[in-house]
Amino acid sequence: MARQGFIRGTSLQIVPEDQISALHEGALKVLGETGVRFEDAWTLDFLARQGCAVDEAAGRVRFPPELVEDSLAQAPRSFSLAAPNPANDLELGGDRFYFSHSSGMQTIDLDTLEPRRPTRREYIDCIRVLQALPHLDHLGCYPYFGFDDMPDVVAVPEGVALHMQYSDKHQMTACSNDAELFTFQMAQALGHEILGTIGSSPPLTWSSGAVTSARRVVEAGYALATVDGAMMGGTGPATAPGSVIVSTAEHLAMVVLVQCLHPGHRMLIGHFSAPLNMRTGSPAFGQIGASLSNAIFNQLWRHYGLPLSNGSPGYVSAKGMEFQAGYEKGIAAILSALTGVSSMLLHLGVSSELTAHPVQAIMDDDIAGMVGRFASGEEMSQDTLAVELIQGVGPIPGHYLSRPHTRKWWRKEQFMAATADSLSYAEWLEGGKKTALDYARAKLDAILAEPEHRFTTPAQDADLHRILDEARDYFARRP
């Protein structure tokens, strides 16, 4: 039995249905006339043999529209991802959606908000928190970009090993810089299935490394997640529809490559776009423009029928765990949920891609629960309409508190947040005026006070250590 996640019961369309074709035709026009750059000689030769027009000198590939349409038709509309624990398997596609987490370069000191590199112990404790959260359905590529004084180049394999040891949820893995040479060995040694993730290089480019990683994912038989990253006004048009066309063209080019390599290969299409902050030159995380882009992208790819993900709900411009972070994440998450996402990053990130902390993840889990409850919609039945009950209770002095209907339904109807203050004002004053942050810090302490659980055997740990030693040696010798 796979994880339930949430089943979307209501949806939002931001683009009139008769205008979706304009987005699609725009992407086909870009693919057919402008083309996409592939910085890989093997790919240029392969796509030329599939009927594409290839300019080898420029590395540019132009795609005939019928090849794009045929490749889209080959890609699965839904598929499963196995987790180490079958109860955590994922079913991607349709109206089911899941939550995962973002990441940060560093952790923060909770008292000063100063960033610093996490320790190995803090990395493990972060995974333990992510494992414990009820609405965190699967692990992302990493919570932090490394720990202690390890070389950054081995951060991905080191992190994947810790994920396997301290969680039985499914995990995404970053495929770059040859990390997959070792993370795939780990997965195969333990019998795990992972979701390999690659990123485009906007505008309209796939690097040699991304293509090599994609081929390795396909050959290994793992599902492939493709992630774009256009900054609106920088590496994509300033308008959301135009930037969506750039991102869609990039994805469709990779869909063609992957489906020609292996028809029917599982693919998750990831959108991670934000406006460019024209004052600082950095991504304007948390801006409503990112959600507009997500909404348009999601509607188009729901039209195509492929499972899709959004990355931007998990990244904000706030600098601490406070009001701005809450509204930036909450608004982005509910709009992604309502417009058709299959999975989204939400938990953990504190400020842009710079900092992350498990206390933030604990508060984010309440956002996930609230968003999921709303997007699930409302059951319409004789029992929920409750007409006979209403007639039986009548006007004052009638009431519903003691009725069996209330006992049956109130917990289903209400979402009870774990870190939100719900005391009366008098109780709040008497109780020390605690905030959501106080409750989240207490929950962190409670989770970490539980006995530490390892999900790997000594023999599996030995395999992981052996592969990590090979990775360290490989990266140490590589120029």
Side-chain angles (χ1 to χ4, degrees), residues 157 161 164 179-190 460-475:
M164 292 175 171
E180 65 273 11
L181 293 176
F182 304 99
T183 57
F184 288 5
Q185 286 187 57
M186 294 177 191
Q188 290 157 0
L190 273 62
Q460 290 174 326
D461 287 337
D463 282 333
L464 293 176
H465 291 313
R466 172 182 55 79
I467 295 167
L468 283 175
D469 284 341
E470 294 172 1
R472 295 177 190 121
D473 181 65
Y474 173 86
F475 289 114

Short mmCIF file of all heavy atoms in Angstrom, two decimals, residues 157 161 164 179-190 460-475:
data_model
loop_
_atom_site.label_atom_id
_atom_site.label_comp_id
_atom_site.label_asym_id
_atom_site.label_seq_id
_atom_site.Cartn_x
_atom_site.Cartn_y
_atom_site.Cartn_z
N PRO A 157 27.20 11.57 -2.58
CA PRO A 157 27.25 10.18 -2.12
C PRO A 157 27.19 10.03 -0.60
O PRO A 157 26.52 9.13 -0.08
CB PRO A 157 28.59 9.68 -2.68
CG PRO A 157 28.88 10.55 -3.84
CD PRO A 157 28.33 11.89 -3.47
N ALA A 161 24.06 8.00 1.38
CA ALA A 161 24.29 6.91 2.32
C ALA A 161 23.58 7.15 3.65
O ALA A 161 22.96 6.24 4.21
CB ALA A 161 25.79 6.73 2.54
N MET A 164 19.88 6.54 3.40
CA MET A 164 19.54 5.11 3.41
C MET A 164 19.62 4.53 4.81
O MET A 164 18.84 3.64 5.17
CB MET A 164 20.49 4.36 2.48
CG MET A 164 20.29 4.68 1.02
SD MET A 164 21.52 3.86 -0.03
CE MET A 164 20.84 4.23 -1.68
N ALA A 179 28.41 11.80 -9.46
CA ALA A 179 27.95 11.27 -8.17
C ALA A 179 27.16 9.98 -8.36
O ALA A 179 27.24 9.05 -7.53
CB ALA A 179 27.09 12.30 -7.45
N GLU A 180 26.42 9.88 -9.47
CA GLU A 180 25.57 8.70 -9.69
C GLU A 180 26.38 7.42 -9.91
O GLU A 180 25.84 6.31 -9.77
CB GLU A 180 24.60 8.93 -10.84
CG GLU A 180 25.24 9.11 -12.20
CD GLU A 180 25.64 10.53 -12.51
OE1 GLU A 180 25.61 11.39 -11.59
OE2 GLU A 180 25.96 10.79 -13.68
N LEU A 181 27.65 7.54 -10.26
CA LEU A 181 28.48 6.34 -10.37
C LEU A 181 28.51 5.58 -9.05
O LEU A 181 28.66 4.34 -9.04
CB LEU A 181 29.91 6.71 -10.78
CG LEU A 181 30.10 7.30 -12.18
CD1 LEU A 181 31.56 7.69 -12.38
CD2 LEU A 181 29.64 6.32 -13.25
N PHE A 182 28.33 6.28 -7.96
CA PHE A 182 28.41 5.67 -6.64
C PHE A 182 27.05 5.57 -5.96
O PHE A 182 26.79 4.58 -5.27
CB PHE A 182 29.41 6.46 -5.79
CG PHE A 182 30.75 6.55 -6.46
CD1 PHE A 182 31.13 7.69 -7.17
CD2 PHE A 182 31.62 5.47 -6.43
CE1 PHE A 182 32.35 7.76 -7.81
CE2 PHE A 182 32.85 5.53 -7.08
CZ PHE A 182 33.21 6.67 -7.77
N THR A 183 26.18 6.56 -6.15
CA THR A 183 24.86 6.46 -5.52
C THR A 183 24.06 5.31 -6.14
O THR A 183 23.29 4.65 -5.43
CB THR A 183 24.09 7.79 -5.66
OG1 THR A 183 23.98 8.14 -7.04
CG2 THR A 183 24.80 8.90 -4.91
N PHE A 184 24.22 5.05 -7.42
CA PHE A 184 23.53 3.92 -8.04
C PHE A 184 24.06 2.61 -7.50
O PHE A 184 23.29 1.65 -7.28
CB PHE A 184 23.67 3.96 -9.56
CG PHE A 184 22.87 5.05 -10.24
CD1 PHE A 184 22.16 5.99 -9.51
CD2 PHE A 184 22.83 5.14 -11.62
CE1 PHE A 184 21.43 6.99 -10.13
CE2 PHE A 184 22.09 6.13 -12.25
CZ PHE A 184 21.40 7.06 -11.51
N GLN A 185 25.37 2.53 -7.26
CA GLN A 185 25.92 1.32 -6.65
C GLN A 185 25.32 1.09 -5.27
O GLN A 185 25.00 -0.04 -4.89
CB GLN A 185 27.44 1.45 -6.52
CG GLN A 185 28.23 1.30 -7.80
CD GLN A 185 29.72 1.27 -7.51
OE1 GLN A 185 30.20 0.44 -6.75
NE2 GLN A 185 30.45 2.21 -8.11
N MET A 186 25.17 2.16 -4.50
CA MET A 186 24.57 2.04 -3.17
C MET A 186 23.14 1.51 -3.27
O MET A 186 22.75 0.59 -2.53
CB MET A 186 24.56 3.40 -2.48
CG MET A 186 25.91 3.97 -2.15
SD MET A 186 25.70 5.62 -1.39
CE MET A 186 27.38 6.20 -1.42
N ALA A 187 22.37 2.10 -4.17
CA ALA A 187 20.97 1.67 -4.33
C ALA A 187 20.90 0.21 -4.74
O ALA A 187 20.08 -0.57 -4.23
CB ALA A 187 20.27 2.56 -5.34
N GLN A 188 21.75 -0.19 -5.67
CA GLN A 188 21.75 -1.58 -6.12
C GLN A 188 22.19 -2.54 -5.02
O GLN A 188 21.63 -3.62 -4.87
CB GLN A 188 22.64 -1.70 -7.36
CG GLN A 188 22.05 -1.00 -8.59
CD GLN A 188 23.09 -0.63 -9.63
OE1 GLN A 188 24.28 -0.88 -9.48
NE2 GLN A 188 22.63 0.00 -10.72
N ALA A 189 23.17 -2.13 -4.23
CA ALA A 189 23.66 -2.99 -3.15
C ALA A 189 22.58 -3.22 -2.10
O ALA A 189 22.49 -4.31 -1.51
CB ALA A 189 24.90 -2.38 -2.51
N LEU A 190 21.76 -2.20 -1.84
CA LEU A 190 20.72 -2.32 -0.81
C LEU A 190 19.36 -2.70 -1.37
O LEU A 190 18.40 -2.87 -0.62
CB LEU A 190 20.60 -0.99 -0.05
CG LEU A 190 21.53 -0.80 1.16
CD1 LEU A 190 22.99 -0.81 0.75
CD2 LEU A 190 21.18 0.48 1.91
N GLN A 460 24.83 -4.22 5.11
CA GLN A 460 24.53 -3.11 4.20
C GLN A 460 25.41 -1.90 4.52
O GLN A 460 25.88 -1.21 3.61
CB GLN A 460 23.05 -2.75 4.29
CG GLN A 460 22.13 -3.80 3.69
CD GLN A 460 20.67 -3.48 3.93
OE1 GLN A 460 20.28 -2.93 4.98
NE2 GLN A 460 19.82 -3.84 2.97
N ASP A 461 25.63 -1.65 5.80
CA ASP A 461 26.53 -0.56 6.18
C ASP A 461 27.93 -0.79 5.63
O ASP A 461 28.60 0.15 5.17
CB ASP A 461 26.60 -0.42 7.70
CG ASP A 461 25.33 0.18 8.30
OD1 ASP A 461 24.61 0.88 7.55
OD2 ASP A 461 25.08 -0.04 9.49
N ALA A 462 28.37 -2.04 5.65
CA ALA A 462 29.69 -2.35 5.12
C ALA A 462 29.75 -2.06 3.62
O ALA A 462 30.75 -1.54 3.11
CB ALA A 462 30.03 -3.81 5.39
N ASP A 463 28.67 -2.39 2.89
CA ASP A 463 28.61 -2.07 1.46
C ASP A 463 28.68 -0.56 1.23
O ASP A 463 29.39 -0.08 0.33
CB ASP A 463 27.33 -2.64 0.84
CG ASP A 463 27.40 -4.13 0.58
OD1 ASP A 463 28.52 -4.64 0.37
OD2 ASP A 463 26.33 -4.78 0.58
N LEU A 464 27.92 0.18 2.03
CA LEU A 464 27.92 1.64 1.88
C LEU A 464 29.31 2.22 2.15
O LEU A 464 29.78 3.08 1.40
CB LEU A 464 26.89 2.27 2.82
CG LEU A 464 25.42 1.97 2.51
CD1 LEU A 464 24.52 2.58 3.59
CD2 LEU A 464 25.01 2.49 1.15
N HIS A 465 29.97 1.74 3.20
CA HIS A 465 31.31 2.25 3.52
C HIS A 465 32.30 1.92 2.41
O HIS A 465 33.16 2.74 2.06
CB HIS A 465 31.78 1.68 4.86
CG HIS A 465 31.03 2.20 6.05
ND1 HIS A 465 30.76 3.53 6.23
CD2 HIS A 465 30.48 1.55 7.11
CE1 HIS A 465 30.08 3.71 7.36
NE2 HIS A 465 29.89 2.51 7.91
N ARG A 466 32.18 0.73 1.85
CA ARG A 466 33.09 0.34 0.76
C ARG A 466 32.89 1.25 -0.45
O ARG A 466 33.87 1.73 -1.04
CB ARG A 466 32.83 -1.12 0.38
CG ARG A 466 33.58 -1.57 -0.89
CD ARG A 466 33.25 -3.01 -1.23
NE ARG A 466 31.83 -3.23 -1.37
CZ ARG A 466 31.10 -2.91 -2.46
NH1 ARG A 466 31.70 -2.32 -3.50
NH2 ARG A 466 29.81 -3.17 -2.52
N ILE A 467 31.64 1.49 -0.81
CA ILE A 467 31.37 2.33 -1.98
C ILE A 467 31.80 3.77 -1.72
O ILE A 467 32.34 4.44 -2.60
CB ILE A 467 29.87 2.24 -2.35
CG1 ILE A 467 29.52 0.81 -2.78
CG2 ILE A 467 29.52 3.23 -3.46
CD1 ILE A 467 28.03 0.52 -2.87
N LEU A 468 31.59 4.25 -0.50
CA LEU A 468 32.03 5.61 -0.17
C LEU A 468 33.55 5.73 -0.24
O LEU A 468 34.08 6.75 -0.69
CB LEU A 468 31.53 6.01 1.22
CG LEU A 468 30.06 6.40 1.32
CD1 LEU A 468 29.67 6.65 2.77
CD2 LEU A 468 29.76 7.64 0.48
N ASP A 469 34.26 4.70 0.21
CA ASP A 469 35.72 4.73 0.10
C ASP A 469 36.13 4.81 -1.37
O ASP A 469 37.07 5.55 -1.72
CB ASP A 469 36.32 3.48 0.74
CG ASP A 469 36.33 3.55 2.26
OD1 ASP A 469 36.21 4.67 2.80
OD2 ASP A 469 36.43 2.48 2.90
N GLU A 470 35.44 4.06 -2.24
CA GLU A 470 35.74 4.11 -3.67
C GLU A 470 35.45 5.51 -4.22
O GLU A 470 36.22 6.02 -5.06
CB GLU A 470 34.91 3.07 -4.41
CG GLU A 470 35.26 1.62 -4.07
CD GLU A 470 34.29 0.63 -4.69
OE1 GLU A 470 33.36 1.08 -5.42
OE2 GLU A 470 34.45 -0.58 -4.46
N ALA A 471 34.35 6.12 -3.76
CA ALA A 471 34.01 7.47 -4.23
C ALA A 471 35.06 8.48 -3.79
O ALA A 471 35.50 9.33 -4.58
CB ALA A 471 32.63 7.86 -3.70
N ARG A 472 35.47 8.41 -2.54
CA ARG A 472 36.48 9.36 -2.05
C ARG A 472 37.78 9.22 -2.84
O ARG A 472 38.41 10.22 -3.20
CB ARG A 472 36.73 9.11 -0.56
CG ARG A 472 35.51 9.40 0.32
CD ARG A 472 35.79 9.07 1.77
NE ARG A 472 34.57 9.12 2.58
CZ ARG A 472 34.10 8.08 3.28
NH1 ARG A 472 34.74 6.92 3.28
NH2 ARG A 472 32.98 8.21 3.98
N ASP A 473 38.17 7.96 -3.11
CA ASP A 473 39.39 7.74 -3.87
C ASP A 473 39.26 8.25 -5.30
O ASP A 473 40.18 8.90 -5.84
CB ASP A 473 39.72 6.24 -3.87
CG ASP A 473 40.99 5.93 -4.63
OD1 ASP A 473 42.06 6.37 -4.19
OD2 ASP A 473 40.91 5.26 -5.68
N TYR A 474 38.10 8.01 -5.90
CA TYR A 474 37.85 8.44 -7.28
C TYR A 474 37.93 9.96 -7.40
O TYR A 474 38.62 10.50 -8.29
CB TYR A 474 36.47 7.95 -7.73
CG TYR A 474 36.01 8.47 -9.07
CD1 TYR A 474 36.38 7.83 -10.23
CD2 TYR A 474 35.18 9.59 -9.16
CE1 TYR A 474 35.94 8.29 -11.48
CE2 TYR A 474 34.75 10.07 -10.38
CZ TYR A 474 35.12 9.41 -11.54
OH TYR A 474 34.70 9.88 -12.75
N PHE A 475 37.25 10.66 -6.50
CA PHE A 475 37.23 12.12 -6.59
C PHE A 475 38.56 12.74 -6.18
O PHE A 475 38.91 13.83 -6.66
CB PHE A 475 36.07 12.68 -5.78
CG PHE A 475 34.73 12.43 -6.38
CD1 PHE A 475 33.80 11.59 -5.75
CD2 PHE A 475 34.37 12.97 -7.60
CE1 PHE A 475 32.56 11.34 -6.32
CE2 PHE A 475 33.13 12.73 -8.18
CZ PHE A 475 32.21 11.89 -7.53
#
